[in-house]
Amino acid sequence: MQCKSWRNLTLILISSSFLVACTKSASSIVAVNNNTLRVDIGSEIPTFDPALAEDGYTYRVINDLFAGLLDFDQANRPIPGMASSWEISPDGLNYTFHLRPNLKFSDGSPITANDFVFSWQRLVNPKTGSSYAFLLKDVVNGADVIAGKKAASSLGVSAPNLSTFVVKLAHPSNAFLSYITVPNVFVVSQAALTKYAESWTNPQNMVTSGAYILKEHVLNGYILVSKNPNYYAESGVTIANVKYFPFVDTNSSLANYKTGALDTTWQNVPVDQYQALKKQYSDELHTFKWERTEYLNINMTLPKYAKNPKLREALALAIDRKSLTELVLGSGQTPLYSIVTPTIENGKYADIHYSWSDLSRDKQIALAKQLYKEAGYGPNNPLTITIKHQNNDLYKKVMVAIMSMWQDTLGVKVTLISEERKVLNNDWRTANFDLAQGGWGADYNSVTTYTPLFICNNGNNRSHYCNPKYDALIAKAEATANPQLQEQLYKQALALVLNDYPIIPLFQPTHQRLVTPRIKGYDIDSNYLDNVQTKWFHLTK
């Protein structure tokens, strides 16, 4: 796709809309009954296995199907879950969790402390292949198990009796309780996994621990779940069924919302219609800052990028983030000049940003051109780039804008490839890309939700960047109990990655979600992580 002028492109983007064909099975929907919540989750999910979940689409479903030691409220704070109470030793190394009595899986079998031992050992076992195994790396032997140096059975967890679960940490962690509210750490049935192996997540086989049970799954069509009568907090669950729809196209999602066939849209509405929808649905369209980063991954396994830091910096400089957020997106998004948001931990890391971020746009462009030339590129030797991105309205607009900026400013030749999320996931994992769309939503309010993204060989390190100095600083920060020293070390580590340019930060997004008035009990504007559970809601007729 060729664009001669960024300014002309801006007018096109503002005045036009990308209409993407939705899947035939999800193009129109009807309510099952008045006690069914109908939710757009934005994409077909790649798994029902909590250990393998790694995106917001999947989390939305997993949060309804499974539960863990701790739960979380709508302000994203850890609260009692299957553990009604716990104690922490004075040195911060030992956590003792006391399970509620008579806990049961959806098939009626008991949930005991041994099930948590199994689930946690399974998460860190390299054979499971979880990119979220790092959540338990602070547990004794956790890092060595994840690295394949020790057996999963050596993980520092135990069940002294059926109702007590003990965790031993290698060093204190202020964020540990937040880590274990993440769905990957939720409890699964050892009996079901042993009996059905990889097919344990099929609807006819799945045994769940959360508020709902999987009933149906039509690929690219819908997922249907129903209330779990054996859930420990069953009396507080008032919605009988939830039906999730994978609308990749936000226009189709909006059309179904307008007809009353959807109760909530996903995390964005069509970019071109935002202002009109804000007026038309002033009480139903919720817009608020999202604790998330949007960026481009640079494939650091490719020599043309890995060995050319000036090129990476030039590409970052050439993107006009102010125009991107205000003219292309225009829904409250803000420019991002860092690998972490300025809002995480209430702004503690807001001083980590590019040194050139305060320069005028003219000076940024001049510096970009200088670095591009020094990197060995120019009119007679233009850089050729292919960008892979998710096939939805938002990312198409963002990538077209970036393509135009690079062409106008540096003369870069860009090809865009649109992919389904599942395909893009695999390309990230296997480094099968040149540059690729990236994004990370915080799982908890700690900078440690972002720091693993740059650790060597981490499953969520999608740029495949590796700097042992960074890893050493992070390890040192995690091992200290001194909060001031820890913050200092994290900042040193983040500054190191920032100046290495393995990713190109773009913007901090906002949530834009339509919520029907028939949903009550949803405190959406306080949920900056967008971790959602249906059990919070009830429906009016």
Side-chain angles (χ1 to χ4, degrees):
M1 186 180 289
Q2 301 293 320
C3 293
K4 295 182 179 180
S5 169
W6 157 241
R7 290 175 177 81
N8 289 342
L9 175 70
T10 300
L11 295 176
I12 294 171
L13 289 172
I14 293 172
S15 62
S16 67
S17 173
F18 287 91
L19 297 178
V20 182
C22 62
T23 59
K24 184 180 294 184
S25 54
S27 60
S28 62
I29 55 179
V30 294
V32 176
N33 56 51
N34 286 335
N35 203 14
T36 296
L37 179 71
R38 298 139 321 158
V39 180
D40 177 15
I41 54 173
S43 177
E44 174 66 29
I45 71 172
T47 183
F48 287 97
D49 187 335
L52 301 181
E54 56 182 35
D55 57 65
Y57 318 103
T58 308
Y59 278 5
R60 177 63 184 89
V61 179
I62 298 292
N63 275 330
D64 281 349
L65 292 175
F66 294 91
L69 287 171
L70 269 60
D71 201 348
F72 57 89
D73 64 15
Q74 296 199 54
N76 309 288
R77 295 170 297 203
I79 60 174
M82 289 191 170
S84 57
S85 63
W86 57 90
E87 295 99 35
I88 305 173
S89 62
D91 61 5
L93 296 178
N94 295 307
Y95 287 66
T96 302
F97 296 92
H98 303 284
L99 301 186
R100 298 175 188 273
N102 302 316
L103 293 173
K104 295 179 181 179
F105 285 110
S106 59
D107 64 352
S109 61
I111 298 175
T112 72
N114 291 323
D115 293 296
F116 284 95
V117 171
F118 168 78
S119 299
W120 285 32
Q121 289 177 349
R122 177 176 180 265
L123 177 62
V124 298
N125 191 328
K127 292 181 180 179
T128 303
S130 174
S131 62
Y132 268 76
F134 71 87
L135 290 169
L136 300 182
K137 63 180 171 51
D138 295 335
V139 179
V140 166
N141 294 329
D144 285 340
V145 175
I146 294 167
K149 297 177 181 179
K150 291 186 177 180
S153 58
S154 70
L155 186 69
V157 295
S158 61
N161 56 60
L162 295 180
S163 61
T164 307
F165 180 65
V166 177
V167 182
K168 294 184 177 182
L169 300 186
H171 52 77
S173 171
N174 294 331
F176 182 69
L177 292 179
S178 293
Y179 293 169
I180 62 176
T181 65
V182 180
N184 307 84
V185 191
F186 290 176
V187 68
V188 296
S189 167
Q190 182 175 5
L193 269 75
T194 301
K195 182 176 181 180
Y196 297 110
E198 292 183 359
S199 64
W200 81 273
T201 55
N202 292 346
Q204 67 271 24
N205 300 335
M206 181 179 279
V207 174
T208 66
S209 55
Y212 290 88
I213 304 168
L214 179 62
K215 291 294 186 182
E216 297 177 39
H217 178 211
V218 177
L219 190 66
N220 291 317
Y222 65 85
I223 297 165
L224 177 65
V225 303
S226 296
K227 184 176 173 179
N228 176 9
N230 289 311
Y231 178 53
Y232 76 91
E234 179 272 340
S235 61
V237 180
T238 63
I239 297 176
N241 307 290
V242 189
K243 204 167 186 180
Y244 314 90
F245 297 90
F247 283 105
V248 173
D249 176 24
T250 53
N251 291 284
S252 295
S253 177
L254 176 61
N256 277 280
Y257 182 85
K258 285 182 173 181
T259 63
L262 270 179
D263 294 309
T264 70
T265 58
W266 189 226
Q267 293 163 334
N268 298 288
V269 295
V271 176
D272 305 274
Q273 301 182 54
Y274 174 78
Q275 295 299 333
L277 292 170
K278 191 175 179 181
K279 294 178 181 179
Q280 183 180 0
Y281 295 96
S282 58
D283 294 331
E284 298 173 44
L285 180 58
H286 298 262
T287 305
F288 53 97
K289 190 68 68 179
W290 192 357
E291 187 50 64
R292 179 181 172 87
T293 58
E294 296 287 351
Y295 50 87
L296 285 171
N297 287 299
I298 299 176
N299 188 342
M300 296 295 284
T301 70
L302 300 178
K304 74 173 182 178
Y305 298 120
K307 295 182 178 181
N308 204 335
K310 289 184 178 181
L311 175 61
R312 302 196 300 269
E313 185 175 0
L315 292 173
L317 273 157
I319 295 174
D320 185 350
R321 292 160 180 79
K322 190 172 187 292
S323 293
L324 181 64
T325 55
E326 293 181 3
L327 299 180
V328 177
L329 299 174
S331 308
Q333 299 88 346
T334 52
L336 187 63
Y337 299 94
S338 177
I339 58 174
V340 299
T341 66
T343 51
I344 195 69
E345 293 193 38
N346 303 313
K348 188 182 290 185
Y349 295 88
D351 57 339
I352 301 296
H353 55 78
Y354 292 127
S355 59
W356 48 259
S357 60
D358 294 328
L359 295 178
S360 68
R361 185 63 193 145
D362 287 342
K363 290 183 178 179
Q364 289 177 358
I365 290 174
L367 181 56
K369 290 181 176 180
Q370 176 188 332
L371 289 168
Y372 186 68
K373 182 178 179 181
E374 293 175 0
Y377 294 92
N380 297 325
N381 182 34
L383 176 68
T384 299
I385 286 177
T386 298
I387 306 177
K388 291 184 175 181
H389 63 88
Q390 194 173 339
N391 60 341
N392 68 23
D393 174 58
L394 173 71
Y395 291 117
K396 286 182 179 181
K397 284 180 166 54
V398 169
M399 297 308 155
V400 168
I402 290 171
M403 175 183 68
S404 181
M405 291 173 188
W406 280 346
Q407 289 176 343
D408 286 353
T409 303
L410 301 176
V412 176
K413 295 183 177 180
V414 181
T415 300
L416 301 179
I417 297 178
S418 176
E419 297 183 334
E420 291 185 3
R421 176 61 185 241
K422 288 193 292 186
V423 176
L424 188 59
N425 277 347
N426 189 61
D427 285 343
W428 282 331
R429 191 173 295 110
T430 58
N432 181 30
F433 64 89
D434 193 29
L435 269 71
Q437 164 215 328
W440 190 261
D443 295 307
Y444 36 82
N445 187 22
S446 167
V447 73
T448 59
T449 195
Y450 295 117
T451 53
L453 301 179
F454 309 101
I455 291 175
C456 298
N457 301 315
N458 181 276
N460 290 311
N461 181 347
R462 290 159 179 165
S463 66
H464 300 269
Y465 165 81
C466 184
N467 187 332
K469 292 181 180 179
Y470 174 79
D471 290 12
L473 284 168
I474 293 299
K476 189 174 180 181
E478 291 175 342
T480 181
N482 182 320
Q484 290 76 30
L485 177 59
Q486 186 178 68
E487 180 182 338
Q488 180 184 345
L489 290 167
Y490 280 137
K491 286 185 175 181
Q492 288 179 28
L494 293 171
L496 188 66
V497 176
L498 193 71
N499 293 315
D500 277 351
Y501 292 90
I503 69 169
I504 300 176
L506 300 174
F507 60 93
Q508 183 174 358
T510 56
H511 287 295
Q512 308 125 46
R513 175 170 294 147
L514 286 159
V515 180
T516 179
R518 85 183 191 114
I519 294 179
K520 304 300 179 185
Y522 190 3
D523 298 329
I524 184 170
D525 301 302
S526 68
N527 195 336
Y528 62 94
L529 299 181
D530 198 39
N531 291 332
V532 180
Q533 299 183 71
T534 298
K535 70 178 185 180
W536 296 335
F537 314 155
H538 63 273
L539 299 175
T540 58
K541 294 183 179 181

